[in-house]
Amino acid sequence: MKSKIIMLLLASACVCQVRAQRHYLPFMNHRMPKTDKMIAAYTDSLRWENVKDRPRAGRNEAGDLTNGCLPRFNDNAFRLFAPPTFYHSVVRERMALPAADSAPDAWTQAVDEALMHVYLARPDLVDNSDNRLDRVGRILPGIQNPVRNDMELIGKVAPVPIEPEGETVKILVKQPNFWTVKGDYYLQFLQNFVTDNWYKGGESTYSMLGSFIMEANYNNKQKVKWDNKLEVKLGFLTSRSDSLHSLKTSEDIIRYTGKLGLQASKKWYYTMQVLAYTQFCRGYKSNDETVYSDIMSPFNFNISPGMDYTVEAFNKKLTGNVHLAPLAYNFKYVDRLALSERYGLKAGKHSLHDIGSQFTVELAWKFSDDIEWKSRLYGFTPYDRVELEWENTFTFRFNRYISTNIFVFPRFDDGASRDGNNGYWQFKEFTSIGFAYSF
């Protein structure tokens, strides 16, 4: 850019000398300043003290510029310092015949000659044109009479802060929900048909099993947990060989487990556990009118302070918890006095109070999306007898709503009467298929 400006200035000086020799100019008898004078005048014009309030220069009797400087810049002077542009007015002025009554001033004439020299000698430097400037926007003409405002200070006013304008926004703040609720339901059936003359024998049976498991757990992420679990299972079966009972229960339990815990470390909690369970219906054996169990016969209530350990293994495929209580209180109630001795109570007594130790292990192992194993191991001992229960449920899902369950339940109780074949061990197992739903 600097080289372009210097070239334009030099070209302007050369054109001025040639212009002075043209016979048709109105000021042909006046001499133009030399190149060095123009450069010195241009350099001097950039100084603020020379530009501010500079009077218009004139000519002396010899025709030279007074004070050795150029006249004041007019509106066309900016063309020397702007990027090289092709102005149609410059060529039009050069090609038109001179008018006797009007002639351009010295600056306009010098600028036009300098631009014309560039158009002819170095057209490659010209990038812009009048048409392009029109599309961008014309340069406003200079202000001939500057506007001056007369201001009068009347009084000082304290500044007022400017508040930004904006729309009113409603902010809804929701209280965090520390509760998680989940459930597992299934209704399954099993049917077996055998004719009377089947060569291997056997009998036809029909069975149905419904299960309802609901959990509501509280965790405020600040060391407090409260878990609640309600399990309800009820199953019926019928067989032709039983002439006394059209329906018998194959599974019957209602059980509540509650835990209130205070975090001790990352996986350990100080826990108070409450366990209560009984059943809905009377329990019979085939072709036997004796009632072996009933609602509130028995009823067990266990409370045990202890420690809970959270289990997470195999990328959280194996989850659950272990409850250990070195001190536990167990209350057993039997409403039917005829069943007192069957459940370890003294004859004629409805209740039994025991103090001992207790543990509970609940695990869920998800082998895949379609195969899962749930296990519950419960043990209580008042140090003179032992109760152990180990429930295992294997679930095979065909799709979201159809599944098969295999239930295996061994139990040990040396407080009950000893069996001649199995001793104190008891065992139950069933397989079912049907509808299932979880959330």
Side-chain angles (χ1 to χ4, degrees):
M1 181 61 69
K2 292 182 179 180
S3 60
K4 292 181 180 181
I5 295 175
I6 294 175
M7 183 175 291
L8 289 174
L9 291 175
L10 294 177
S12 175
C14 294
V15 171
C16 290
Q17 292 180 359
V18 175
R19 188 78 171 185
Q21 299 176 4
R22 296 179 61 177
H23 63 279
Y24 55 83
L25 293 176
F27 45 87
M28 53 183 298
N29 295 326
H30 300 285
R31 298 191 306 272
M32 294 297 293
K34 296 180 179 180
T35 303
D36 55 348
K37 288 185 178 183
M38 291 186 68
I39 296 175
Y42 169 69
T43 305
D44 183 65
S45 66
L46 297 179
R47 299 176 183 174
W48 171 250
E49 59 270 14
N50 293 332
V51 176
K52 182 180 179 182
D53 299 330
R54 174 185 293 174
R56 184 179 296 275
R59 297 180 181 272
N60 55 17
E61 295 178 356
D64 295 329
L65 295 173
T66 59
N67 298 328
C69 62
L70 294 173
R72 180 184 295 180
F73 293 165
N74 61 7
D75 294 339
N76 293 322
F78 78 92
R79 299 182 179 183
L80 290 178
F81 310 101
T85 304
F86 182 80
Y87 298 100
H88 296 282
S89 60
V90 175
V91 179
R92 189 183 306 111
E93 179 67 22
R94 181 68 177 269
M95 301 299 294
L97 296 176
D101 55 346
S102 64
D105 56 46
W107 259 112
T108 301
Q109 195 173 7
V111 170
D112 291 349
E113 289 294 341
L115 292 175
M116 195 65 193
H117 176 78
V118 173
Y119 298 160
L120 297 175
R122 293 298 303 273
D124 57 304
L125 298 178
V126 182
D127 296 330
N128 296 324
S129 64
D130 270 347
N131 296 333
R132 185 176 180 183
L133 293 179
D134 289 340
R135 290 194 299 269
V136 176
R138 288 183 172 276
I139 299 177
L140 299 177
I143 300 176
Q144 301 298 331
N145 298 320
V147 179
R148 294 180 175 84
N149 297 324
D150 295 332
M151 295 180 294
E152 181 180 359
L153 181 61
I154 299 177
K156 295 182 178 181
V157 180
V160 179
I162 301 176
E163 297 182 359
E165 297 181 359
E167 298 180 357
T168 303
V169 179
K170 294 182 179 180
I171 300 177
L172 179 61
V173 180
K174 293 185 177 180
Q175 184 178 1
N177 185 14
F178 300 121
W179 286 92
T180 57
V181 179
K182 57 182 179 179
D184 188 7
Y185 313 90
Y186 63 82
L187 179 63
Q188 299 184 333
F189 305 90
L190 180 63
Q191 182 265 342
N192 177 39
F193 176 76
V194 178
T195 61
D196 295 336
N197 62 345
W198 182 250
Y199 74 104
K200 288 187 177 180
E203 64 175 339
S204 300
T205 59
Y206 302 90
S207 63
M208 178 187 69
L209 175 65
S211 175
F212 169 88
I213 301 175
M214 176 66 72
E215 294 185 44
N217 302 324
Y218 174 87
N219 188 351
N220 67 353
K221 309 299 182 180
Q222 296 180 358
K223 299 185 176 183
V224 177
K225 288 177 60 178
W226 183 23
D227 298 339
N228 299 271
K229 184 177 182 181
L230 179 63
E231 301 171 81
V232 177
K233 294 180 181 180
L234 185 60
F236 297 96
L237 64 87
T238 179
S239 61
R240 293 183 179 181
S241 62
D242 190 356
S243 59
L244 295 179
H245 311 289
S246 59
L247 288 174
K248 298 188 298 290
T249 58
S250 59
E251 179 71 12
D252 188 2
I253 187 171
I254 174 171
R255 180 169 58 206
Y256 167 77
T257 304
K259 293 182 181 181
L260 180 61
L262 179 65
Q263 189 172 15
S265 63
K266 184 178 181 180
K267 292 188 176 182
W268 284 96
Y269 282 82
Y270 301 107
T271 306
M272 178 68 72
Q273 176 177 280
V274 175
L275 177 63
Y277 59 93
T278 185
Q279 64 187 58
F280 290 103
C281 306
R282 297 175 181 178
Y284 298 97
K285 293 183 180 180
S286 296
N287 296 312
D288 189 352
E289 294 183 350
T290 304
V291 177
Y292 289 90
S293 62
D294 198 356
I295 183 171
M296 299 301 290
S297 295
F299 167 76
N300 279 273
F301 177 83
N302 185 285
I303 182 170
S304 57
M307 296 286 291
D308 259 37
Y309 177 76
T310 303
V311 178
E312 287 184 353
F314 306 111
N315 295 327
K316 296 186 177 181
K317 290 186 177 181
L318 177 62
T319 59
N321 60 79
V322 179
H323 176 72
L324 302 176
L327 180 64
Y329 166 74
N330 188 82
F331 171 73
K332 182 179 289 186
Y333 177 80
V334 178
D335 187 60
R336 288 176 174 266
L337 290 178
L339 302 176
S340 298
E341 294 183 274
R342 177 176 176 83
Y343 293 104
L345 280 68
K346 293 182 180 180
K349 296 291 184 180
H350 285 286
S351 60
L352 176 65
H353 303 272
D354 285 324
I355 295 178
S357 300
Q358 183 259 342
F359 72 90
T360 306
V361 180
E362 294 187 356
L363 299 175
W365 195 339
K366 194 171 185 178
F367 298 99
S368 66
D369 293 338
D370 301 324
I371 303 175
E372 186 177 9
W373 168 52
K374 291 183 179 180
S375 177
R376 176 184 180 272
L377 178 61
Y378 168 79
F380 173 75
T381 175
Y383 311 117
D384 60 345
R385 58 185 176 85
V386 176
E387 292 182 15
L388 288 176
E389 297 179 350
W390 189 19
E391 302 177 32
N392 298 274
T393 304
F394 298 90
T395 303
F396 302 88
R397 294 184 178 87
F398 300 104
N399 53 43
R400 185 177 179 183
Y401 300 106
I402 304 297
S403 67
T404 293
N405 283 350
I406 300 176
F407 184 71
V408 180
F409 187 1
R411 187 176 186 275
F412 179 87
D413 185 2
D414 59 359
S417 301
R418 183 182 178 88
D419 182 76
N421 296 324
N422 301 315
Y424 296 112
W425 283 99
Q426 305 168 18
F427 188 81
K428 180 168 67 172
E429 181 271 338
F430 64 81
T431 302
S432 61
I433 184 171
F435 301 99
Y437 179 74
S438 301
F439 69 91

